[in-house]
Amino acid sequence: MAPGVVKALQEKIFRNGDDSSRSETQGRDPGLTIHIPGKPPTPTKSGHPRKSSRSILEAVPPDVSAPEKSYRQQVSQLLGSAYRGTEKYRLEQDEKRERHWKRWGPYLSDRQWATVREDYSHDGNAWSHFPHEHARSRAYRWGEDGIGGISDNHQRLCFSLALWNEKDPILKERLFGVTGHQGNHGEDVKELYYYLDSAPTHSYMKFLYKYPQRRYPYEELVNENLHRDRNVAEYEILDSDAFDDDRYWDVYMEYAKEADDPNSIYVRITAYNRGPEPSTLHVIPHLWFRNTWSWPKEKPPMPSLSKSSTVGGLQYIKAKHPSMEKYYMYCLPSPSPVDKLGNFIGNEDAGIQPDLLFTENDTNFERLYGAQNPTSYVKDAFHDHIIPSHRGTADEKRPNSGGNEESASETFVNPDHRGTKSAAHYVFRDVPGGGGCAVVRMKLTPLSPPNLPNLEDEGLFDETIDERREETNEFYDSFLLGHINDDFRQIMRQAFGGMLWTKQYYHFVQKDWIEGDPAQPPPPPDRKHIRNMDWKHMYIDDILSMPDKWEYPFFAAWDTAFHCIPLAVVDPVFAKKQLDLLTREWYMKPDGQIPAYEWNFSDVNPPVHAWATFRVFKIERKLTGKEDLAFLERVFQKLLLNFTWWVNRKDSGGNNVFEGGFLGLDNIGVFNRSEPLPTGGRLRQADGTAWMAFYCLNMLNIALELAKHNPVYEDIASKFFEHFIFIADAMTFKSGDDTFSLWNEEDGMYYDAIQFGPGDSMQLPVRSLVGLIPLYATLVLEPAVINRFPGFKKRMEWFLDNRPEVSARNMANMKVPGKGERRLLALAGRERLIRILEKMLDEKEFLGQYGIRSLSKLHKERPWGMDVHGQRYEVAYWPGDSHSGMFGGNSNWRGPIWLAVNFLLIESLQRFYQYYGDDLQVECPTGSGVFMNLVEVAEEIQHRIIHIFGRDIEGKRATNGGNPKLDGDPHFRDYLWFYEFFHADTGKGLGASHQTGWSGLVAYHILQSGLTCRLPKTPRTPRSLVHHYFDETIDSMSEYGDDTHSLYSAMSAMDLNSLGDISPEAL
């Protein structure tokens, strides 16, 4: 290799050079830029682009005299001034159904084992019924899992990574973690992996898995966590010696679709030896069909995988499925590994050929149950074939082995090279340490060999991946307004990437699940009474956004609502689909209840669906100018049913006081709010009633939007206005002849209360989110809106004039106009708002360095509780993991910071500002002497949340919890996990480690206020220096005709993509 080539390669691999080819991506492409050794691309003849299944660019006449243009240049030429980016063009094609760009995506689960859907036990113990130990040998019924994998949108054909380090007792083909029973804080994945990047159409994706070279410590992780109690931290894999001396592999997976063909996918797997010595790695990508044939009484037509090769000897796997077109997985020979200087190890021209393996995706009954296998080749065959120690007694039983290891090995896989599960086995011997590199290239496509003349051109292969990455850079850059520092850009990019990676194919048919399958033994009779018996109508076969594909590989209704806010920025069509699905008749019960999550579909999550629906509608309108009224109206109609369900089922006394149960806040209360009170009596929930007031105002807001196009909705808006007034009044409730309030005048907070009987009630003085959630119920009405709808205006004024005893109590005074003559509908009037904010912005109570705590720090020294029948019930400040087993113990609402509820608080402050403007200034932090208006307070909280993830002046991230490897190691420090919640005092990430779901909201905060965000642990910018920014962006020129400013009117048309506008029209 020439010295210049070596130097260029080294610079690209290790990011330590001035490579001009990287100038366009510097600071934007998360993590290191993957560039591996290979031959330069073979020049193609001008005017003759690479073969695609069909081309949509035929309208652009080829210029045979000019060099071949990139796809991006071709699309730009085609669209002219309408060009908004290549990835946005693909999104438009997908929406118009010109191209099915989302047919293939990251739809495999990270964990299918130990899920409720796979549980057929008599006692509902999903963790024990299908453990990790069974996963490699037992066919799944309802879905598939893998490492960094993809599938089609009905999960018929699947692809994922498997590895072996010659030390492990099993192949690493799925992610490991402790179960809910094994973890001292519930279930927890014990792997190091990162979702680094994804375009919304998945035309480009990047994933990183860190694989130890030592034996993976499966038993150690389980035993150590089992023996720890809830008062100590979880035992993680970095606490073991698995990664000591950097003896591990960085394995990157990249996927890139053909420029104009969504069904053709390039796969590049690049492995770096980070250890100090040479090491051997087996890379074993799997291609298989989901098992759909073991369950019906009559076996359906079978799919098949088989081996073939081109005329030139290139091996490939041919995939046939009754309901899919034929696919080919081409397994290119790999070049020899290189050292960190780019020198090839061994013969540079001698490629490493994969060994193609085949078996069936069927259960190994012999290994699991000692029964006879119905097929000769079973799901775990590759483990037995590759790892002699895995065979155990199975080797002795294998016929015709003759005790010979080689011949025994051959019998585990199908010698005819066909089956329903396949793998390409690449072995890279003695890859040099310190950054030595090995690479695998594969291509999945419906195109047969004669249609792929350049298939083995490694340079062209890598060029395609680089083009897709550049198009993804272009897409994300289009959302940035002004200069946001590179670290914040990477956080935003990885957050969006993680949200897009966390899509999953979710299949569930309640009838089949309850009754069992005809070809399988019937489930235990008691099983049908354990959970989800009443959801007979459910039939799910969709791609859904998951909270965390390992810890929570199932949809959760209120999580989904928050996911859709950042998702709407990058792919509003997908976000709308998620919200629409949960209200469709095959999800929503006929009585209007929305399913919560698979452990108990009948549980109750906070009613945030209406809020999310309208926010997604408005985000799409803001970013694209499109108003999808059909979506808004369709979901609104179904939410009318859901609202009625809430009123009929959760307002048991008909007093507009709602008893929602735990409402997603798990252990926040003194008592388990999903169970009867040990004290007797009835719990009057301040947050339950506030959530319904919030729901009511969002329904009112949607009705007014729809009324612009259909006057029928004006009457519905009036109805929700009146309902809000009555719900607000219920914050003070009757108990016999006495009146009790959920508001405590002395403390200046809302509290839950127990009503024991007539005249006998008591408040529970716990300062928690329960007392802050009433701030969510806030809506500002423009005068032009009120004047546009005379019927609504007349009814509103009549109610205010004739029912003052209701309309003037427990809510803001609607008769007093605010900034710009706006009117305020809110549970908290000015005085109560100020008193609540005194506590919320007090750093000794709710305001943490990284956001708003879920429980006041006051309760660290002053826990509150009561003794009931000899048992102590108490709430104390726990800033980190939970100390109790309530709701599994894997989440904690007694102190930590949760991004979802912070997001709603931030939006509430922004809405309050719309009404009060600069006339209302509060001290922030309390006692600091610094006064801010409410939008500046909102921005301050946003910045504190961004600081959870941002690198401070010492190079540390709060979310890493002070781990020096995560903060300082060059192969870790640029990558992030988006945890479920965060330590209230330190910002350390806790709970599910890949919950990009609602923690991905940080991307939205960066887009909205990252421009003015200081670095963590640096002094705040004087408010006067940024005040002009808010002057230009807060007040909006309303479509109804008032003359205030908007971001869009104050700036250029290219800034339409900014999310900085927080006007009533935008919020």
Side-chain angles (χ1 to χ4, degrees), residues 41 143 279 384 421 530 543 583-584 949:
S279 186
D384 287 330
K421 180 179 178 181
I530 295 172
I543 303 299
T583 63
R584 300 306 289 264
F949 305 93

Side-chain angles (χ1 to χ4, degrees), residues 12 34-36 38-44 48-50 68-74 90 203-204 254 256-259 266 268 441 454 457-471:
K12 289 183 177 182
I34 307 283
H35 190 91
I36 50 83
K39 299 173 183 177
T42 302
T44 56
H48 297 278
R50 281 165 279 171
E68 183 186 357
K69 295 181 178 179
S70 69
Y71 183 74
R72 186 165 40 157
Q73 291 171 322
Q74 294 178 61
R90 291 193 181 100
S203 60
Y204 177 75
E254 290 179 283
K257 296 180 181 177
E258 193 69 81
Y266 294 82
R268 187 170 66 189
R441 296 180 180 88
N454 301 314
D457 190 327
E458 295 174 359
L460 207 55
F461 190 108
D462 293 342
E463 184 181 90
T464 299
I465 294 176
D466 292 341
E467 286 177 359
R468 294 298 88 73
R469 188 174 64 244
E470 281 303 315
E471 292 158 6

Side-chain angles (χ1 to χ4, degrees), residues 977-1041:
W977 290 308
F978 295 84
Y979 285 87
E980 182 180 4
F981 55 98
F982 301 88
H983 194 286
D985 298 331
T986 69
K988 178 184 178 181
L990 300 167
S993 56
H994 292 75
Q995 188 146 345
T996 322
W998 60 22
S999 293
L1001 288 163
V1002 68
Y1004 195 93
H1005 290 314
I1006 290 173
L1007 284 173
Q1008 194 172 73
S1009 71
L1011 188 65
T1012 60
C1013 186
R1014 66 190 185 280
L1015 291 177
K1017 296 184 179 180
T1018 56
R1020 285 189 295 271
T1021 303
R1023 310 310 303 179
S1024 59
L1025 297 184
V1026 298
H1027 192 76
H1028 69 89
Y1029 170 77
F1030 294 108
D1031 288 342
E1032 291 184 338
T1033 62
I1034 300 305
D1035 292 332
S1036 171
M1037 180 166 58
S1038 168
E1039 63 186 282
Y1040 303 112

Side-chain angles (χ1 to χ4, degrees), residues 769-912:
L769 274 172
V770 166
L772 304 182
I773 286 173
L775 298 184
Y776 296 168
T778 307
L779 176 64
V780 173
L781 293 177
E782 297 273 18
V785 174
I786 299 172
N787 293 330
R788 178 167 182 163
F789 303 113
F792 174 77
K793 178 181 180 181
K794 182 178 180 181
R795 182 63 179 163
M796 181 181 73
E797 291 176 343
W798 181 94
F799 206 88
L800 294 176
D801 292 338
N802 290 276
R803 302 296 296 274
E805 76 286 356
V806 176
S807 61
R809 182 173 61 177
N810 292 321
M811 59 177 291
N813 190 342
M814 279 201 63
K815 289 190 172 183
V816 178
K819 181 179 181 181
E821 298 299 311
R822 293 167 177 155
R823 300 299 176 110
L824 176 67
L825 277 72
L827 289 182
R830 184 184 181 107
E831 293 75 17
R832 289 188 180 181
L833 173 63
I834 292 172
R835 296 198 64 191
I836 292 172
L837 292 180
E838 286 174 358
K839 267 76 71 179
M840 191 182 94
L841 301 178
D842 189 339
E843 292 181 318
K844 297 188 293 294
E845 290 216 37
F846 286 99
L847 182 62
Q849 190 174 350
Y850 302 102
I852 302 299
R853 303 177 176 110
S854 51
L855 186 78
S856 169
K857 197 172 183 177
L858 176 80
H859 292 301
K860 179 178 181 179
E861 305 297 333
R862 291 164 49 187
W864 190 91
M866 59 192 301
D867 295 305
V868 182
H869 305 309
Q871 183 174 349
R872 182 69 178 172
Y873 295 87
E874 185 176 84
V875 169
Y877 178 70
W878 300 338
D881 282 312
S882 175
H883 295 187
S884 80
M886 193 183 296
F887 292 90
N890 61 338
S891 65
N892 181 25
W893 292 82
R894 296 185 178 183
I897 293 160
W898 294 75
L899 265 61
V901 289
N902 269 259
F903 191 88
L904 291 178
L905 282 171
I906 289 165
E907 284 206 342
S908 298
L909 291 169
Q910 292 168 339
R911 285 193 294 269
F912 275 120

